[in-house]
Amino acid sequence: QVQLVESGGGLVQPGGSLRLSCAASGSIFSIEAMGWYRQAPGKQRELVATITSGGSTNYEDSVKGRFTISRDNAKHTVYLQMNSLKPEETAVYYCNADVSRSRKLGIYGYWGQGTQVTVAS
């Protein structure tokens, strides 16, 4: 009933930029937090950035000053602007949303399928 679809990934040169988008759709009553995670080959999935419905943000230390997370609550969409990309940031980037589907149900975390970001010359 709830689906998250990421877009905007691709191949970029070191030092370049990409803007990722993630749109949530389906049976959504409200969304509290949304965020981006990434998983590189041979590594665990790690948090990149999160944003609450009120606009409070958190970033992984290595991306501070280079990445910016934002959201459009009306469209249930979260964005990640990535600047000065590094080769070691090559990974599959996943969108996450903490969704309430009704007044009676609790909050559950949903995940997108992921989008590949490759940073190479």
Side-chain angles (χ1 to χ4, degrees):
Q1 292 294 308
V2 177
Q3 293 190 120
L4 275 61
V5 179
E6 300 103 331
S7 62
L11 175 64
V12 64
Q13 293 184 319
S17 299
L18 282 175
R19 183 173 182 262
L20 305 182
S21 299
C22 172
S25 62
S27 300
I28 299 172
F29 177 72
S30 64
I31 301 178
E32 176 48 35
M34 302 186 80
W36 291 94
Y37 294 71
R38 65 189 177 192
Q39 187 166 22
K43 295 186 177 181
Q44 293 185 248
R45 187 174 299 186
E46 66 175 359
L47 183 148
V48 178
T50 61
I51 184 169
T52 69
S53 61
S56 297
T57 59
N58 276 313
Y59 295 92
E60 196 275 325
D61 287 342
S62 69
V63 309
K64 288 182 178 178
R66 297 185 298 115
F67 290 12
T68 302
I69 188 170
S70 61
R71 65 189 284 177
D72 184 332
N73 291 334
K75 296 182 178 180
H76 294 149
T77 300
V78 63
Y79 307 92
L80 185 67
Q81 178 67 46
M82 304 186 292
N83 299 326
S84 302
L85 281 161
K86 304 174 181 179
E88 57 264 38
E89 292 173 320
T90 293
V92 177
Y93 283 69
Y94 296 91
C95 175
N96 171 266
D98 293 333
V99 179
S100 175
R101 296 179 62 193
S102 74
R103 294 181 183 273
K104 299 180 180 180
L105 299 176
I107 297 174
Y108 185 82
Y110 291 87
W111 293 90
Q113 289 292 306
T115 184
Q116 177 70 47
V117 172
T118 302
V119 185
S121 59

